[in-house]
Amino acid sequence: MIRKAAWGGVLTLTLACPLALPLAGGSGQLPGRTGVPSTGLQAGRAPAPSGAISGLVVDADTGAPLAGADVTLTTDDRRVTIGSGPTSQLTDSRGRFAFINLGPSSTYRLTATRPGYLDSGALRDPRTQAIPLSEGEWIADVRVALLRAGSISGVVVDERGDPVAGARVRALALIAVAGRERLAAGATTVTDDRGAYRLGNLRPGRYVILVPATQATVPASTTAARVAGGSERGSAAVEQALALDARARLVLGALVPPPPRDGRLMGYPMTFHSGASRIDQTTPIDLAGGEERRGVDVRIQPVTTASITGQLVSPPNMRLVALIRLVAVGLEDLGFGSEVATTLPDASGEFVFLNVPSGSYVVDVTPSASEYGTVPRNLGDFPRIPGTNGGGMSITDLPVGPPGTTHTTFTNGASISGFSARVPVVVDGADVTGVRLDLKATGSISGRSVVENDPGGVQTTPVRVLMAEPAGGEPALGRSRSGSEPGDPQDVFYLTALLPGEYLIRKSEQPGWLIKSIVYDGRDYTDRPFDIASTTDYEHVTVTFTNKVAKLSGAVRVEPGSAADPATVIVFPADAAQWTNYGLRPVRIQSQLVSPRNTFMFDALPAGDYLVVAVRSNDAALWSRQGFFAKVRGAATPVSLAWGDTRSVSLNVVDLRQGGK
């Protein structure tokens, strides 16, 4: 099918290749596609690729065309050559681009960048969904919508009003995961010699600004080289290490405590932009697209400090090497680098935190630490933990978060495996003693998988890899991937190292297959979480896979010029009980950007009762927030699907800016 471009007048884009593409007028066909064989083709040779994709780059909020945007065309199909011209080009003064001489492919993708706007490719924005192109087809009027980037800036001063140079400043984003608000680590910077900071390239959203105060306690027997991160033979110097206690040494972070006051040791607590030292006492900043929020200042104030001492109790014959973290209440969703303090136990299991500011904390020992993030991260972004060597991190996309959100898991050379402990502690100026950390084995889920093939389809076998995901979206619970013991049949699975919490079982990404049912002890756990807190180990669980899936397709009616960006279709359960606690990859909640033809296809849905709605793509990320489904329920189209069903619906775009009507 050949589509005409809709721009008025006759215009020719000058490309890097010598071929010019008329964007309007005439027959609307591509050069060399006039309905008669091209005289330039030799008998027996395949015709040259002659497809095209053209369109506009626009501001996602205003719909205004963006000149000078760098547009890149890619494809997942290695057999396809992307035209004879460049695969990247700048939009003209009216925001237009055109890629020509394209071969057929179902996986063309357009990404765009422009100064002052968020990079659609780096953010893995849903607007970069695959564009299918047939032989000789011209897809015109594709819109690539870019969000304007925002910023937050201010100064950090101490109790005297003097600027604090070299202080770390973090933006923590509030994002919706599994129907609940969660913290995500954002941009980080350091104040200059004036105490000033600026955090840029921020997405629209809700943020809190934090000046952390992180320090570490190590046993007094720890060598200087070990404290500094070197080997026992190393010669690295120890900076700002204080011998405040005969048992241990204190290694300070970026904020050096003020002198003692009235014989009491003082310290700076972590401080938020409102001046509070607790996140629940802080009012988040609502940042609009492209907004430059200035004057978000942070004033740090010293408070009295105390020590926390206790005992790490482990199973017999277990080597007592464990990183112990002190985490402020409300920040449990964050990983390494977000602690108030860290410490290491001595050979007997005794531990101490020195110079701890007053506050409410959690003493935590886990095999790893996980968090959500809104910006790309690397290990260099985080302060090294004194007294420990090595470490690593793994990063995966978070499908239910805003575009570009990741789920990061950190490990450390002193992390333990297979055990955890967590105890709340309140420090109120006086030393806290007798804290007991009982290490307990992590939980597991195990069983067998069953395959039910569609009788009317090809008989195949899926890759039976399972994941245990936190039902409530707690990043600290991580994601466990199934494994099996040597010699086990392929239908046996084990999900291990599960921390106390509630988990849903999901399958790995595999087109055409779904989990039909999950049964344990005669009860259905397909959409019900396993509670590791009440039961440590679940055995003899049966997971049934099926390729007899339901499909839902349709079209979205869009009035010409009515939207700055394309529509996104969202399908969700009719049962409101399933609008929260659905984990990180909900099967019954899916969203999809419509194609350039304003069509959509959900090709793997479980049987059930659903509601379907189309919204502006700029509003698509709102579906994970509380209240979204209730807001659009009245405008959504109900659909009931049985296993193997194929249904089609027609939708109108719901404008959420007008109350969802």
Side-chain angles (χ1 to χ4, degrees):
M1 182 184 77
I2 303 298
R3 296 183 59 196
K4 284 190 176 183
W7 300 322
V10 178
L11 177 73
T12 298
L13 288 183
T14 302
L15 306 176
C17 58
L19 180 62
L21 172 63
L23 295 178
S27 66
Q29 292 178 318
L30 295 177
R33 303 292 293 180
T34 59
V36 297
S38 171
T39 58
L41 296 179
Q42 299 178 7
R45 295 185 59 181
S50 54
I53 297 175
S54 61
L56 288 171
V57 176
V58 299
D59 184 296
D61 293 314
T62 66
L66 297 177
D70 190 349
V71 186
T72 300
L73 180 69
T74 60
T75 178
D76 298 339
D77 191 342
R78 297 182 180 180
R79 299 169 297 178
V80 175
T81 300
I82 306 178
S84 59
T87 59
S88 181
Q89 59 185 254
L90 295 178
T91 56
D92 69 1
S93 61
R94 295 169 65 180
R96 297 173 293 189
F97 63 87
F99 294 92
I100 64 174
N101 298 339
L102 304 178
S105 173
S106 61
T107 61
Y108 281 119
R109 297 178 190 276
L110 288 167
T111 58
T113 61
R114 188 178 188 271
Y117 286 79
L118 299 169
D119 182 342
S120 66
L123 290 172
R124 292 174 296 282
D125 197 298
R127 295 177 183 84
T128 64
Q129 176 182 306
I131 301 172
L133 184 72
S134 302
E135 175 66 41
E137 183 181 12
W138 176 9
I139 297 179
D141 298 327
V142 176
R143 292 199 174 200
V144 180
L146 293 181
L147 287 167
R148 289 181 295 162
S151 66
I152 298 175
S153 60
V155 295
V156 179
V157 298
D158 62 15
E159 66 275 18
R160 299 183 300 273
D162 295 333
V164 180
R168 292 180 66 226
V169 183
R170 302 186 69 187
L172 303 179
L174 294 167
I175 66 173
V177 180
R180 303 178 184 277
E181 196 167 64
R182 296 287 177 190
L183 278 177
T188 301
T189 190
V190 177
T191 57
D192 62 17
D193 57 358
R194 302 166 300 165
Y197 76 91
R198 182 180 184 276
L199 296 161
N201 207 39
L202 301 178
R203 295 184 61 87
R206 287 159 52 84
Y207 295 90
V208 294
I209 302 302
L210 169 66
V211 175
T214 304
Q215 56 192 17
T217 303
V218 296
S221 59
T222 308
T223 65
R226 176 75 169 170
V227 170
S231 66
E232 297 295 330
R233 300 177 181 177
S235 58
V238 180
E239 297 180 359
Q240 302 177 7
L242 304 178
L244 300 180
D245 189 286
R247 300 163 295 177
R249 300 165 69 181
L250 181 68
V251 183
L252 300 176
L255 297 181
V256 178
R261 182 181 301 171
D262 299 328
R264 298 291 304 275
L265 292 176
M266 308 293 291
Y268 291 111
M270 63 170 52
T271 308
F272 295 90
H273 65 268
S274 62
S277 58
R278 291 176 46 171
I279 193 168
D280 60 354
Q281 298 173 345
T282 300
T283 301
I285 298 168
D286 289 309
L287 189 71
E291 181 181 1
E292 296 184 4
R293 184 69 65 90
R294 300 182 177 90
V296 182
D297 302 335
V298 182
R299 186 184 185 96
I300 58 174
Q301 299 274 5
V303 297
T304 57
T305 63
S307 64
I308 301 173
T309 58
Q311 181 76 33
L312 180 65
V313 181
S314 65
N317 303 319
M318 181 178 175
R319 186 183 177 207
L320 284 174
V321 177
L323 175 66
I324 306 176
R325 306 167 66 221
L326 187 67
V327 181
V329 169
L331 301 187
E332 298 94 336
D333 280 353
L334 300 176
F336 290 155
S338 303
E339 313 87 355
V340 171
T342 62
T343 191
L344 298 171
D346 63 17
S348 67
E350 292 186 1
F351 66 87
V352 58
F353 290 102
L354 297 175
N355 209 47
V356 178
S358 297
S360 298
Y361 303 100
V362 171
V363 183
D364 182 72
V365 181
T366 56
S368 59
S370 299
E371 69 182 17
Y372 300 138
T374 60
V375 296
R377 310 301 293 270
N378 58 66
L379 285 175
D381 295 335
F382 306 93
R384 187 192 53 77
I385 298 175
T388 66
N389 287 328
M393 61 192 296
S394 62
I395 303 176
T396 57
D397 289 343
L398 180 65
V400 295
T405 308
T406 58
H407 189 189
T408 303
T409 298
F410 304 88
T411 57
N412 184 271
S415 299
I416 58 174
S417 177
F419 293 86
S420 68
R422 174 172 282 191
V423 175
V425 172
V426 176
V427 177
D428 192 14
D431 291 344
V432 178
T433 61
V435 176
R436 181 183 173 96
L437 286 173
D438 289 293
L439 289 175
K440 296 182 179 179
T442 52
S444 66
I445 303 171
S446 61
R448 291 180 176 271
S449 59
V450 177
V451 176
E452 287 187 5
N453 270 281
D454 183 353
V458 178
Q459 304 299 293
T460 60
T461 301
V463 177
R464 290 179 264 192
V465 176
L466 300 172
M467 309 287 291
E469 297 182 347
E474 303 92 331
L477 297 185
R479 285 191 281 184
S480 177
R481 185 182 177 91
S482 65
S484 59
E485 299 293 336
D488 281 340
Q490 67 171 358
D491 62 345
V492 172
F493 71 87
Y494 299 92
L495 291 160
T496 60
L498 302 179
L499 299 173
E502 294 187 338
Y503 296 84
L504 293 168
I505 293 183
R506 304 295 192 203
K507 72 172 187 63
S508 63
E509 295 296 334
Q510 194 171 177
W513 287 91
L514 290 175
I515 291 178
K516 183 176 182 180
S517 65
I518 301 172
V519 177
Y520 169 72
D521 195 23
R523 289 174 289 177
D524 183 12
Y525 279 78
T526 310
D527 299 303
R528 174 182 179 177
F530 290 87
D531 187 357
I532 296 299
S534 62
T535 302
T536 303
D537 298 299
Y538 291 85
E539 299 176 331
H540 309 298
V541 176
T542 301
V543 178
T544 301
F545 288 81
T546 184
N547 59 0
K548 190 178 180 180
V549 300
K551 299 180 180 181
L552 177 65
S553 62
V556 177
R557 294 183 289 266
V558 179
E559 297 180 8
S562 63
D565 55 347
T568 291
V569 178
I570 303 168
V571 57
F572 59 99
D575 181 5
Q578 298 184 45
W579 295 353
T580 57
N581 289 351
Y582 45 72
L584 307 183
R585 291 180 298 174
V587 181
R588 298 183 184 276
I589 303 175
Q590 299 184 31
S591 66
Q592 184 182 118
L593 182 75
V594 298
S595 74
R597 303 176 184 85
N598 293 320
T599 60
F600 64 91
M601 163 65 85
F602 296 100
D603 57 7
L605 287 170
D609 295 326
Y610 294 93
L611 296 171
V612 193
V613 67
V615 300
R616 296 171 64 243
S617 287
N618 202 27
D619 298 325
L622 298 176
W623 71 260
S624 58
R625 296 186 182 178
Q626 284 184 328
F628 175 87
F629 295 136
K631 182 177 182 179
V632 302
R633 179 182 219 168
T637 299
V639 177
S640 293
L641 297 172
W643 289 105
D645 268 359
T646 298
R647 298 285 304 277
S648 180
V649 295
S650 182
L651 305 172
N652 293 317
V653 176
V654 175
D655 191 344
L656 299 181
R657 295 168 298 177
Q658 299 180 10
K661 302 297 184 183

